[in-house]
Amino acid sequence: MTSPLDIIILGLSLSSSWGNGHATTYRALVAGLYAEGHRVLFLERDVPWYALHRDLPDPDFCQLVHYRDIDEMIETHAGRIKAADAVIIGSYVPSGVTVIDRIAALKPQRLCFYDIDTPVTLAKLDRGHEEYLARRQLGTFDSYFSFSGGEVLARLERRYGARKAIALYCSVDASQYRATGEAFRWDLGYLGTYSADRQPTLERLLIEPARQLPHLSFVVAGPQYPRDIDWPANVERIEHLPPADHPSFYSRQRFTLNVTRSDMIAAGWSPSVRLFEAAACGTPIISDDWRGLEELFADGQAIVIAKGSEDVVDALTTIPTEGRSALASAARATVLERHTGNVRAQELVAALKDLPDGVNETRPKLQPTSA
């Protein structure tokens, strides 16, 4: 395989960041691939909830095509799918099981899966829920790129039959995420779509500290929060923030909060893209605790790990300006060295090039289940 590469990605969304973390992850990765000289066609299912909230309808770093019908998409792009150096199908693609079967039948040169939700995916498979990936399909991918690293990779291969599991963490476009120099507006903020399993942690690490510290200012940005949540008077709500507004949002916080979904905590080694975005903007981070976090950011040096509301209150009331600056600088240095879109693109390309030629001829043939 020679450079530059021709890569096709079928992902949940590139055009809309509304209610999902996939778009910003794909944007950083694909922009990184473009910067490295590679060519990307991104195929995105045209669904109404994203069509109404597109904040990147025409990217300048790849070709973005929306499709409404799987048959039409396959017919239109079959030639390029067969000829591409790699085809990567992402998690949560609508009708993903059917998409995978149809793409695999074309025998692309390299067929990979990029799971931006690995612990959630595995929990679904354990329950027999095959929403976007069937268990029988894991062994057909030449590489299974995983949002989660650590012990999860061995589980993917030994328990679920993945042929080659490789960590491909989320990343940040450092050209887009940087400090804006704006004055602080909030003492602690959180950016994330409502999730029932994250809400108890948000209650413990932001809402309760807000009640204890009524003289400080807090903010929660993101859609789909139930109307019956009892927000303290000093917690501001923002319904949705497009990625273009994220750097300003982070830059106006003295600290930002990272909250992790329960499946991600159980798996460990599953950093949210929000961690990398906030760090790139030079905002000190307070995070809930999970295995693998300290391998990314050293506790007390590049991040504050909070196990309860008292840890958050302590951070907000005792860490001086120079301490916040030291935390932010250490985290930003780590991200710029290891977690930018360019770095992640290099890791992806290296993994693709490491696959042997003719790998498609040794790929197990899928046996689609009947509808």
Side-chain angles (χ1 to χ4, degrees), residues 12-32:
L12 174 64
S13 182
L14 184 75
S15 69
S16 175
S17 64
W18 186 84
N20 75 88
H22 288 228
T24 50
T25 295
Y26 281 126
R27 290 173 192 181
L29 176 63
V30 177

mmCIF file of all heavy atoms in Angstrom, residues 12-32:
data_model
loop_
_atom_site.group_PDB
_atom_site.id
_atom_site.type_symbol
_atom_site.label_atom_id
_atom_site.label_comp_id
_atom_site.label_asym_id
_atom_site.label_seq_id
_atom_site.Cartn_x
_atom_site.Cartn_y
_atom_site.Cartn_z
ATOM 1 N N LEU A 12 -21.646 7.723 11.638
ATOM 2 C CA LEU A 12 -22.933 8.232 12.117
ATOM 3 C C LEU A 12 -23.192 9.630 11.578
ATOM 4 O O LEU A 12 -24.234 9.896 10.980
ATOM 5 C CB LEU A 12 -22.957 8.239 13.641
ATOM 6 C CG LEU A 12 -24.181 8.887 14.289
ATOM 7 C CD1 LEU A 12 -25.446 8.104 13.958
ATOM 8 C CD2 LEU A 12 -24.001 8.994 15.798
ATOM 9 N N SER A 13 -22.239 10.540 11.800
ATOM 10 C CA SER A 13 -22.407 11.893 11.283
ATOM 11 C C SER A 13 -21.077 12.623 11.271
ATOM 12 O O SER A 13 -20.280 12.509 12.206
ATOM 13 C CB SER A 13 -23.412 12.686 12.129
ATOM 14 O OG SER A 13 -23.597 13.987 11.589
ATOM 15 N N LEU A 14 -20.865 13.365 10.219
ATOM 16 C CA LEU A 14 -19.777 14.327 10.129
ATOM 17 C C LEU A 14 -20.350 15.738 10.093
ATOM 18 O O LEU A 14 -19.756 16.683 10.606
ATOM 19 C CB LEU A 14 -18.950 14.076 8.862
ATOM 20 C CG LEU A 14 -17.714 14.953 8.676
ATOM 21 C CD1 LEU A 14 -16.588 14.505 9.609
ATOM 22 C CD2 LEU A 14 -17.229 14.911 7.223
ATOM 23 N N SER A 15 -21.540 15.862 9.523
ATOM 24 C CA SER A 15 -22.122 17.176 9.258
ATOM 25 C C SER A 15 -22.771 17.813 10.474
ATOM 26 O O SER A 15 -22.883 19.030 10.549
ATOM 27 C CB SER A 15 -23.170 17.068 8.142
ATOM 28 O OG SER A 15 -24.316 16.348 8.590
ATOM 29 N N SER A 16 -23.221 17.006 11.451
ATOM 30 C CA SER A 16 -23.987 17.532 12.575
ATOM 31 C C SER A 16 -23.443 17.013 13.902
ATOM 32 O O SER A 16 -23.322 15.803 14.102
ATOM 33 C CB SER A 16 -25.458 17.143 12.457
ATOM 34 O OG SER A 16 -26.180 17.550 13.601
ATOM 35 N N SER A 17 -23.164 17.933 14.814
ATOM 36 C CA SER A 17 -22.703 17.556 16.158
ATOM 37 C C SER A 17 -23.866 17.497 17.142
ATOM 38 O O SER A 17 -23.646 17.256 18.329
ATOM 39 C CB SER A 17 -21.676 18.573 16.649
ATOM 40 O OG SER A 17 -22.266 19.854 16.802
ATOM 41 N N TRP A 18 -25.089 17.688 16.653
ATOM 42 C CA TRP A 18 -26.252 17.735 17.534
ATOM 43 C C TRP A 18 -26.482 16.379 18.198
ATOM 44 O O TRP A 18 -26.686 15.361 17.526
ATOM 45 C CB TRP A 18 -27.497 18.142 16.750
ATOM 46 C CG TRP A 18 -28.707 18.340 17.615
ATOM 47 C CD1 TRP A 18 -29.061 19.459 18.309
ATOM 48 C CD2 TRP A 18 -29.729 17.369 17.895
ATOM 49 N NE1 TRP A 18 -30.233 19.259 18.998
ATOM 50 C CE2 TRP A 18 -30.662 17.982 18.759
ATOM 51 C CE3 TRP A 18 -29.940 16.052 17.500
ATOM 52 C CZ2 TRP A 18 -31.789 17.315 19.232
ATOM 53 C CZ3 TRP A 18 -31.054 15.380 17.972
ATOM 54 C CH2 TRP A 18 -31.967 16.025 18.827
ATOM 55 N N GLY A 19 -26.419 16.333 19.524
ATOM 56 C CA GLY A 19 -26.760 15.127 20.270
ATOM 57 C C GLY A 19 -25.802 13.972 20.104
ATOM 58 O O GLY A 19 -26.139 12.838 20.452
ATOM 59 N N ASN A 20 -24.596 14.198 19.587
ATOM 60 C CA ASN A 20 -23.649 13.100 19.444
ATOM 61 C C ASN A 20 -22.217 13.620 19.558
ATOM 62 O O ASN A 20 -21.938 14.786 19.285
ATOM 63 C CB ASN A 20 -23.850 12.374 18.107
ATOM 64 C CG ASN A 20 -23.301 13.162 16.923
ATOM 65 O OD1 ASN A 20 -22.129 13.049 16.576
ATOM 66 N ND2 ASN A 20 -24.155 13.973 16.301
ATOM 67 N N GLY A 21 -21.310 12.726 19.959
ATOM 68 C CA GLY A 21 -19.900 13.073 20.031
ATOM 69 C C GLY A 21 -19.104 12.548 18.861
ATOM 70 O O GLY A 21 -17.884 12.717 18.802
ATOM 71 N N HIS A 22 -19.784 11.898 17.918
ATOM 72 C CA HIS A 22 -19.089 11.311 16.787
ATOM 73 C C HIS A 22 -18.558 12.368 15.827
ATOM 74 O O HIS A 22 -17.457 12.237 15.280
ATOM 75 C CB HIS A 22 -20.028 10.364 16.025
ATOM 76 C CG HIS A 22 -20.325 9.096 16.748
ATOM 77 N ND1 HIS A 22 -20.247 7.846 16.159
ATOM 78 C CD2 HIS A 22 -20.714 8.856 18.029
ATOM 79 C CE1 HIS A 22 -20.574 6.911 17.025
ATOM 80 N NE2 HIS A 22 -20.862 7.498 18.168
ATOM 81 N N ALA A 23 -19.362 13.403 15.579
ATOM 82 C CA ALA A 23 -19.008 14.375 14.546
ATOM 83 C C ALA A 23 -17.663 15.026 14.817
ATOM 84 O O ALA A 23 -16.811 15.112 13.925
ATOM 85 C CB ALA A 23 -20.104 15.437 14.429
ATOM 86 N N THR A 24 -17.446 15.496 16.050
ATOM 87 C CA THR A 24 -16.182 16.164 16.334
ATOM 88 C C THR A 24 -15.010 15.184 16.284
ATOM 89 O O THR A 24 -13.902 15.551 15.889
ATOM 90 C CB THR A 24 -16.228 16.856 17.705
ATOM 91 O OG1 THR A 24 -16.693 15.942 18.703
ATOM 92 C CG2 THR A 24 -17.144 18.066 17.666
ATOM 93 N N THR A 25 -15.258 13.932 16.671
ATOM 94 C CA THR A 25 -14.207 12.912 16.576
ATOM 95 C C THR A 25 -13.826 12.664 15.121
ATOM 96 O O THR A 25 -12.637 12.636 14.767
ATOM 97 C CB THR A 25 -14.683 11.600 17.226
ATOM 98 O OG1 THR A 25 -14.872 11.815 18.629
ATOM 99 C CG2 THR A 25 -13.680 10.491 17.015
ATOM 100 N N TYR A 26 -14.824 12.483 14.267
ATOM 101 C CA TYR A 26 -14.545 12.268 12.847
ATOM 102 C C TYR A 26 -13.886 13.497 12.218
ATOM 103 O O TYR A 26 -12.993 13.368 11.363
ATOM 104 C CB TYR A 26 -15.829 11.929 12.099
ATOM 105 C CG TYR A 26 -16.277 10.494 12.247
ATOM 106 C CD1 TYR A 26 -17.572 10.176 12.695
ATOM 107 C CD2 TYR A 26 -15.430 9.438 11.926
ATOM 108 C CE1 TYR A 26 -17.995 8.868 12.819
ATOM 109 C CE2 TYR A 26 -15.846 8.118 12.056
ATOM 110 C CZ TYR A 26 -17.126 7.846 12.500
ATOM 111 O OH TYR A 26 -17.545 6.543 12.633
ATOM 112 N N ARG A 27 -14.324 14.679 12.603
ATOM 113 C CA ARG A 27 -13.768 15.891 12.000
ATOM 114 C C ARG A 27 -12.272 16.007 12.278
ATOM 115 O O ARG A 27 -11.484 16.332 11.388
ATOM 116 C CB ARG A 27 -14.510 17.123 12.518
ATOM 117 C CG ARG A 27 -15.929 17.217 11.996
ATOM 118 C CD ARG A 27 -16.700 18.360 12.659
ATOM 119 N NE ARG A 27 -18.125 18.263 12.364
ATOM 120 C CZ ARG A 27 -19.047 19.114 12.789
ATOM 121 N NH1 ARG A 27 -18.686 20.153 13.537
ATOM 122 N NH2 ARG A 27 -20.325 18.950 12.473
ATOM 123 N N ALA A 28 -11.875 15.752 13.525
ATOM 124 C CA ALA A 28 -10.458 15.829 13.868
ATOM 125 C C ALA A 28 -9.663 14.775 13.108
ATOM 126 O O ALA A 28 -8.583 15.059 12.557
ATOM 127 C CB ALA A 28 -10.274 15.652 15.372
ATOM 128 N N LEU A 29 -10.178 13.537 13.056
ATOM 129 C CA LEU A 29 -9.471 12.460 12.386
ATOM 130 C C LEU A 29 -9.356 12.706 10.884
ATOM 131 O O LEU A 29 -8.275 12.580 10.295
ATOM 132 C CB LEU A 29 -10.192 11.129 12.639
ATOM 133 C CG LEU A 29 -9.627 9.907 11.917
ATOM 134 C CD1 LEU A 29 -8.210 9.601 12.374
ATOM 135 C CD2 LEU A 29 -10.537 8.697 12.124
ATOM 136 N N VAL A 30 -10.471 13.063 10.247
ATOM 137 C CA VAL A 30 -10.474 13.243 8.796
ATOM 138 C C VAL A 30 -9.661 14.469 8.394
ATOM 139 O O VAL A 30 -8.938 14.454 7.388
ATOM 140 C CB VAL A 30 -11.917 13.315 8.257
ATOM 141 C CG1 VAL A 30 -11.921 13.573 6.756
ATOM 142 C CG2 VAL A 30 -12.668 12.011 8.568
ATOM 143 N N ALA A 31 -9.755 15.536 9.187
ATOM 144 C CA ALA A 31 -8.913 16.697 8.910
ATOM 145 C C ALA A 31 -7.442 16.340 9.039
ATOM 146 O O ALA A 31 -6.595 16.821 8.273
ATOM 147 C CB ALA A 31 -9.265 17.846 9.861
ATOM 148 N N GLY A 32 -7.133 15.464 9.995
ATOM 149 C CA GLY A 32 -5.764 14.988 10.139
ATOM 150 C C GLY A 32 -5.317 14.167 8.944
ATOM 151 O O GLY A 32 -4.177 14.299 8.474
#
